[in-house]
Amino acid sequence: MADPAGAIDALATMNQLLEQTIPRAHQMGVTFAELREGYVRAAVPFEGNGNHFGVVYAGVIFTLAEVLGGALHYATFDVSTHYPVVRSMNIEFLAPGKGPLSASASLDGTEIARIRTAAANGKVPFELVAEVVGEDGTLVARTRGDYQIRPYGT
Amino acid sequence: MADPAGAIDALATMNQLLEQTIPRAHQMGVTFAELREGYVRAAVPFEGNGNHFGVVYAGVIFTLAEVLGGALHYATFDVSTHYPVVRSMNIEFLAPGKGPLSASASLDGTEIARIRTAAANGKVPFELVAEVVGEDGTLVARTRGDYQIRPYGT
């Protein structure tokens, strides 16, 4: 398997970090599947995550989308100086999740540059939109999260 | 212990239902603490639900607030004819959750009457605002959920 820019190691590291930092997400089976500057994708199995309607429970879908922010921060910004927090999130449930789900989010180059520049002066808010899809591509949920990256010590 | 209107049995039943219907929420330790027509309160322990910042993970707070809708439906509307679904939810994280958390939501009599009347004719949307607080009363999060009750078969 090709490994441009050490992407596989970053992914393995991020999955270890998830297990250590958010045990409940790890317990759900959430894993990062793709990770590079400005882009992250995570996945979750159906097993153990269903509800009485036979679909993936809302709180699992929320978690799958929410963890993207931290991973994107890790892959894109300076983790030695700044940490990410989620301030608020809106989640729309658009279709039932009837099997394994995948969620992805991205920031484009212009937005990354804006955040990096502003981060030198303190907290920087940014919005992250994530889409949660089923194996057949069905759009199951969309989230719009208000995140901040903050310098350590603030 | 007094048990006006069989409230304790309703609570025990609802907690059994949660375990069966949303295993992930049960696994987090979410339990219903108060339940009556138009009012519900649930609680979650800190243990096992923290993240790397030493505060309750966002996905757990979301779940704690989200389950209120189903329980309120159970305690307030006709479960033999209608079921509740969550269409979208906004969650604001207002303060870190540094210990056990409690979340409550209510519908007033006018709103309950409106929903009951409208339910005879099909799906009825309603909004449920929940507040998540710490043991000292600190407001940790507020959610605003768009729910529907739907007649079975729709």
Side-chain angles (χ1 to χ4, degrees):
Chain A
M1 194 185 292
D3 182 20
I8 293 173
D9 281 351
L11 204 52
T13 301
M14 199 63 226
N15 277 313
Q16 282 175 356
L17 277 173
L18 185 69
E19 180 171 358
Q20 290 160 15
T21 58
I22 312 180
R24 285 291 179 221
H26 175 73
Q27 202 170 36
M28 292 172 187
V30 173
T31 53
F32 295 103
E34 288 184 75
L35 185 62
R36 57 180 183 268
E37 182 176 302
Y39 181 82
V40 58
R41 185 169 68 82
V44 75
F46 180 81
E47 194 179 356
N49 290 319
N51 67 6
H52 47 306
F53 297 131
V55 301
V56 178
Y57 171 58
V60 172
I61 298 176
F62 176 91
T63 297
L64 177 66
E66 195 284 322
V67 298
L68 299 178
L72 197 71
H73 170 78
Y74 177 85
T76 310
F77 301 114
D78 188 344
V79 295
S80 71
T81 58
H82 289 72
Y83 65 97
V85 294
V86 61
R87 303 290 306 282
S88 70
M89 187 172 284
N90 185 267
I91 182 164
E92 296 170 90
F93 298 99
L94 302 168
K98 298 178 177 175
L101 298 177
S102 172
S104 61
S106 60
L107 291 177
D108 67 23
T110 305
E111 180 68 348
I112 292 170
R114 177 191 75 81
I115 296 168
R116 281 187 181 143
T117 302
N121 300 314
K123 298 178 184 178
V124 186
F126 67 97
E127 184 181 85
L128 198 62
V129 174
E131 292 196 333
V132 179
V133 298
E135 285 186 306
D136 64 356
T138 301
L139 185 60
V140 167
R142 185 186 290 114
T143 64
R144 195 173 293 275
D146 290 318
Y147 289 83
Q148 271 186 358
I149 65 169
R150 295 179 177 178
Y152 279 105
T154 61
Chain B
M1 193 185 294
D3 180 19
I8 292 174
D9 282 350
L11 203 53
T13 302
M14 198 62 225
N15 278 313
Q16 284 175 355
L17 276 174
L18 184 69
E19 180 172 358
Q20 291 160 14
T21 57
I22 312 181
R24 285 290 178 222
H26 175 72
Q27 202 170 36
M28 292 173 188
V30 173
T31 52
F32 295 103
E34 288 184 75
L35 184 62
R36 57 180 183 268
E37 182 175 301
Y39 181 81
V40 58
R41 186 169 69 83
V44 75
F46 180 81
E47 194 181 355
N49 289 320
N51 67 7
H52 47 305
F53 298 131
V55 299
V56 179
Y57 171 57
V60 172
I61 298 176
F62 176 92
T63 297
L64 178 65
E66 195 285 321
V67 298
L68 299 177
L72 197 72
H73 170 78
Y74 176 85
T76 311
F77 302 113
D78 188 344
V79 296
S80 72
T81 58
H82 290 71
Y83 65 97
V85 294
V86 58
R87 303 289 306 283
S88 70
M89 186 172 284
N90 185 265
I91 181 165
E92 296 170 89
F93 299 100
L94 301 168
K98 297 177 177 175
L101 298 177
S102 173
S104 61
S106 60
L107 290 177
D108 67 24
T110 306
E111 180 67 350
I112 292 170
R114 177 192 74 82
I115 295 168
R116 282 186 180 142
T117 302
N121 299 314
K123 299 178 184 179
V124 185
F126 68 96
E127 185 182 83
L128 197 62
V129 174
E131 291 196 333
V132 180
V133 298
E135 284 186 307
D136 64 356
T138 302
L139 185 60
V140 168
R142 185 186 290 114
T143 63
R144 195 173 291 276
D146 290 318
Y147 290 82
Q148 272 187 358
I149 64 169
R150 296 180 177 176
Y152 280 104
T154 60

